[in-house]
Short mmCIF file of all heavy atoms in Angstrom, two decimals:
data_model
loop_
_atom_site.label_atom_id
_atom_site.label_comp_id
_atom_site.label_asym_id
_atom_site.label_seq_id
_atom_site.Cartn_x
_atom_site.Cartn_y
_atom_site.Cartn_z
N PRO K 1 96.00 108.77 110.98
CA PRO K 1 96.60 108.06 109.85
C PRO K 1 98.13 108.01 109.93
O PRO K 1 98.76 108.89 110.51
CB PRO K 1 96.16 108.90 108.64
CG PRO K 1 94.91 109.58 109.09
CD PRO K 1 95.13 109.87 110.55
N GLY K 2 98.69 106.94 109.37
CA GLY K 2 100.14 106.85 109.22
C GLY K 2 100.85 105.97 110.22
O GLY K 2 102.05 105.75 110.10
N GLY K 3 100.15 105.44 111.21
CA GLY K 3 100.81 104.62 112.22
C GLY K 3 100.55 103.15 112.05
O GLY K 3 99.98 102.70 111.05
N GLY K 4 100.98 102.38 113.06
CA GLY K 4 100.87 100.92 112.99
C GLY K 4 99.45 100.41 112.97
O GLY K 4 99.13 99.47 112.25
N TRP K 5 98.57 101.03 113.78
CA TRP K 5 97.17 100.59 113.78
C TRP K 5 96.51 100.90 112.44
O TRP K 5 95.72 100.11 111.94
CB TRP K 5 96.41 101.28 114.91
CG TRP K 5 96.64 100.64 116.25
CD1 TRP K 5 97.27 99.46 116.50
CD2 TRP K 5 96.25 101.16 117.52
NE1 TRP K 5 97.29 99.20 117.85
CE2 TRP K 5 96.67 100.23 118.50
CE3 TRP K 5 95.60 102.31 117.93
CZ2 TRP K 5 96.45 100.42 119.86
CZ3 TRP K 5 95.38 102.52 119.29
CH2 TRP K 5 95.80 101.58 120.25
N ASP K 6 96.85 102.05 111.89
CA ASP K 6 96.28 102.45 110.60
C ASP K 6 96.72 101.46 109.51
O ASP K 6 95.90 100.97 108.72
CB ASP K 6 96.74 103.86 110.25
CG ASP K 6 96.04 104.43 109.03
OD1 ASP K 6 94.80 104.51 109.03
OD2 ASP K 6 96.73 104.79 108.07
N THR K 7 98.00 101.15 109.48
CA THR K 7 98.53 100.21 108.50
C THR K 7 97.90 98.83 108.67
O THR K 7 97.51 98.18 107.69
CB THR K 7 100.06 100.09 108.64
OG1 THR K 7 100.65 101.39 108.55
CG2 THR K 7 100.65 99.21 107.56
N THR K 8 97.76 98.39 109.91
CA THR K 8 97.17 97.08 110.19
C THR K 8 95.71 97.02 109.74
O THR K 8 95.28 96.07 109.08
CB THR K 8 97.27 96.75 111.69
OG1 THR K 8 98.65 96.76 112.09
CG2 THR K 8 96.68 95.38 112.00
N GLY K 9 94.94 98.04 110.11
CA GLY K 9 93.52 98.05 109.79
C GLY K 9 93.27 98.05 108.29
O GLY K 9 92.40 97.32 107.79
N ARG K 10 94.03 98.84 107.56
CA ARG K 10 93.82 98.93 106.11
C ARG K 10 94.33 97.68 105.39
O ARG K 10 93.73 97.24 104.40
CB ARG K 10 94.48 100.21 105.57
CG ARG K 10 93.76 101.45 106.07
CD ARG K 10 94.43 102.76 105.68
NE ARG K 10 93.82 103.86 106.42
CZ ARG K 10 92.70 104.51 106.06
NH1 ARG K 10 92.10 104.15 104.94
NH2 ARG K 10 92.21 105.48 106.79
N ALA K 11 95.40 97.08 105.91
CA ALA K 11 95.87 95.82 105.32
C ALA K 11 94.86 94.71 105.57
O ALA K 11 94.60 93.88 104.68
CB ALA K 11 97.23 95.44 105.92
N LEU K 12 94.26 94.69 106.76
CA LEU K 12 93.26 93.67 107.06
C LEU K 12 92.01 93.88 106.20
O LEU K 12 91.44 92.91 105.69
CB LEU K 12 92.89 93.72 108.54
CG LEU K 12 91.82 92.71 108.99
CD1 LEU K 12 92.29 91.28 108.74
CD2 LEU K 12 91.46 92.91 110.46
N GLY K 13 91.61 95.13 106.03
CA GLY K 13 90.44 95.41 105.20
C GLY K 13 90.63 94.93 103.77
O GLY K 13 89.73 94.32 103.18
N LYS K 14 91.81 95.20 103.21
CA LYS K 14 92.11 94.74 101.85
C LYS K 14 92.08 93.22 101.78
O LYS K 14 91.56 92.62 100.83
CB LYS K 14 93.48 95.26 101.39
CG LYS K 14 93.84 94.88 99.96
CD LYS K 14 95.19 95.45 99.56
CE LYS K 14 95.48 95.18 98.08
NZ LYS K 14 95.39 93.76 97.71
N ALA K 15 92.65 92.57 102.81
CA ALA K 15 92.68 91.11 102.83
C ALA K 15 91.27 90.52 102.94
O ALA K 15 90.98 89.47 102.37
CB ALA K 15 93.55 90.63 104.00
N MET K 16 90.38 91.19 103.66
CA MET K 16 89.01 90.71 103.78
C MET K 16 88.28 90.77 102.43
O MET K 16 87.51 89.87 102.09
CB MET K 16 88.26 91.53 104.84
CG MET K 16 88.77 91.29 106.25
SD MET K 16 87.95 92.31 107.51
CE MET K 16 86.39 91.44 107.64
N ILE K 17 88.57 91.82 101.68
CA ILE K 17 87.99 91.92 100.33
C ILE K 17 88.57 90.83 99.43
O ILE K 17 87.85 90.15 98.69
CB ILE K 17 88.23 93.31 99.75
CG1 ILE K 17 87.42 94.37 100.54
CG2 ILE K 17 87.83 93.36 98.27
CD1 ILE K 17 87.74 95.80 100.18
N ASP K 18 89.88 90.63 99.52
CA ASP K 18 90.54 89.60 98.71
C ASP K 18 90.04 88.20 99.07
O ASP K 18 89.96 87.32 98.21
CB ASP K 18 92.06 89.66 98.89
CG ASP K 18 92.67 90.90 98.27
OD1 ASP K 18 91.95 91.61 97.53
OD2 ASP K 18 93.86 91.18 98.52
N ALA K 19 89.69 88.00 100.35
CA ALA K 19 89.18 86.70 100.79
C ALA K 19 87.70 86.52 100.48
O ALA K 19 87.13 85.46 100.76
CB ALA K 19 89.41 86.54 102.30
N LYS K 20 87.11 87.60 99.91
CA LYS K 20 85.69 87.58 99.52
C LYS K 20 84.74 87.42 100.72
O LYS K 20 83.65 86.89 100.59
CB LYS K 20 85.42 86.50 98.47
CG LYS K 20 86.14 86.77 97.15
CD LYS K 20 85.83 85.73 96.10
CE LYS K 20 86.34 86.11 94.72
NZ LYS K 20 87.71 86.61 94.68
N VAL K 21 85.20 87.87 101.89
CA VAL K 21 84.30 87.91 103.04
C VAL K 21 83.73 89.31 103.21
O VAL K 21 82.90 89.55 104.09
CB VAL K 21 85.02 87.45 104.34
CG1 VAL K 21 85.43 86.00 104.24
CG2 VAL K 21 86.21 88.34 104.66
N ALA K 22 84.20 90.24 102.37
CA ALA K 22 83.69 91.61 102.39
C ALA K 22 83.63 92.14 100.96
O ALA K 22 84.53 91.88 100.17
CB ALA K 22 84.58 92.51 103.23
N ASP K 23 82.55 92.85 100.65
CA ASP K 23 82.46 93.55 99.38
C ASP K 23 83.20 94.88 99.45
O ASP K 23 83.78 95.35 98.49
CB ASP K 23 81.00 93.83 99.01
CG ASP K 23 80.32 92.62 98.38
OD1 ASP K 23 81.04 91.79 97.81
OD2 ASP K 23 79.09 92.51 98.48
N ASN K 24 83.17 95.47 100.64
CA ASN K 24 83.74 96.79 100.83
C ASN K 24 84.08 96.98 102.31
O ASN K 24 83.45 96.37 103.16
CB ASN K 24 82.74 97.87 100.38
CG ASN K 24 83.34 99.26 100.44
OD1 ASN K 24 84.49 99.47 100.06
ND2 ASN K 24 82.57 100.22 100.94
N VAL K 25 85.08 97.80 102.58
CA VAL K 25 85.44 98.13 103.96
C VAL K 25 85.58 99.64 104.05
O VAL K 25 86.30 100.26 103.26
CB VAL K 25 86.76 97.45 104.39
CG1 VAL K 25 87.11 97.84 105.82
CG2 VAL K 25 86.67 95.93 104.27
N THR K 26 84.90 100.24 105.01
CA THR K 26 85.05 101.67 105.26
C THR K 26 85.92 101.85 106.50
O THR K 26 85.92 101.02 107.40
CB THR K 26 83.69 102.36 105.48
OG1 THR K 26 83.06 101.79 106.64
CG2 THR K 26 82.78 102.16 104.28
N TYR K 27 86.67 102.95 106.54
CA TYR K 27 87.62 103.17 107.62
C TYR K 27 87.33 104.50 108.30
O TYR K 27 86.98 105.49 107.66
CB TYR K 27 89.05 103.20 107.09
CG TYR K 27 89.43 101.97 106.30
CD1 TYR K 27 89.28 101.94 104.91
CD2 TYR K 27 89.93 100.84 106.93
CE1 TYR K 27 89.61 100.81 104.18
CE2 TYR K 27 90.26 99.71 106.21
CZ TYR K 27 90.10 99.70 104.83
OH TYR K 27 90.43 98.58 104.12
N GLU K 28 87.50 104.52 109.62
CA GLU K 28 87.38 105.76 110.37
C GLU K 28 88.53 105.86 111.35
O GLU K 28 88.74 104.97 112.16
CB GLU K 28 86.05 105.82 111.12
CG GLU K 28 85.88 107.13 111.87
CD GLU K 28 84.50 107.33 112.44
OE1 GLU K 28 83.67 106.39 112.35
OE2 GLU K 28 84.24 108.42 112.99
N ASN K 29 89.30 106.95 111.23
CA ASN K 29 90.40 107.21 112.16
C ASN K 29 89.93 108.14 113.27
O ASN K 29 89.33 109.18 113.00
CB ASN K 29 91.58 107.86 111.43
CG ASN K 29 92.29 106.91 110.50
OD1 ASN K 29 91.88 106.74 109.35
ND2 ASN K 29 93.37 106.31 110.96
N LYS K 30 90.21 107.74 114.50
CA LYS K 30 89.87 108.57 115.66
C LYS K 30 91.00 108.44 116.67
O LYS K 30 91.03 107.53 117.50
CB LYS K 30 88.54 108.11 116.28
CG LYS K 30 88.07 108.93 117.48
CD LYS K 30 87.66 110.33 117.09
CE LYS K 30 87.09 111.09 118.27
NZ LYS K 30 86.71 112.48 117.89
N GLY K 31 91.99 109.35 116.57
CA GLY K 31 93.18 109.24 117.40
C GLY K 31 93.03 109.90 118.75
O GLY K 31 92.13 110.71 118.98
N GLY K 32 93.95 109.57 119.65
CA GLY K 32 94.02 110.21 120.95
C GLY K 32 93.88 109.27 122.12
O GLY K 32 93.17 108.27 122.05
N ALA K 33 94.62 109.59 123.19
CA ALA K 33 94.53 108.88 124.47
C ALA K 33 94.80 107.39 124.33
O ALA K 33 94.10 106.55 124.91
CB ALA K 33 93.16 109.11 125.12
N ALA K 34 95.84 107.05 123.56
CA ALA K 34 96.25 105.65 123.37
C ALA K 34 95.11 104.77 122.83
O ALA K 34 95.02 103.60 123.15
CB ALA K 34 96.80 105.06 124.67
N GLY K 35 94.25 105.39 122.04
CA GLY K 35 93.14 104.64 121.44
C GLY K 35 91.85 104.73 122.23
O GLY K 35 90.80 104.24 121.77
N ALA K 36 91.87 105.37 123.39
CA ALA K 36 90.68 105.42 124.24
C ALA K 36 89.55 106.22 123.61
O ALA K 36 88.36 105.90 123.80
CB ALA K 36 91.01 105.98 125.62
#
């Protein structure tokens, strides 16, 4: 949590709900090895 990918993912999730293409978005953070 707290980085650019985290910010991007959560902003996109909110936008998907606002666009009514999603009722809900769940998030899972799994850091390490440049995303590998």
Side-chain angles (χ1 to χ4, degrees):
W5 281 349
D6 189 58
T7 305
T8 302
R10 292 175 191 276
L12 179 61
K14 183 179 185 305
M16 292 177 76
I17 293 171
D18 291 350
K20 295 182 170 46
V21 296
D23 279 335
N24 185 42
V25 179
T26 62
Y27 305 93
E28 182 171 5
N29 289 85
K30 181 69 175 179

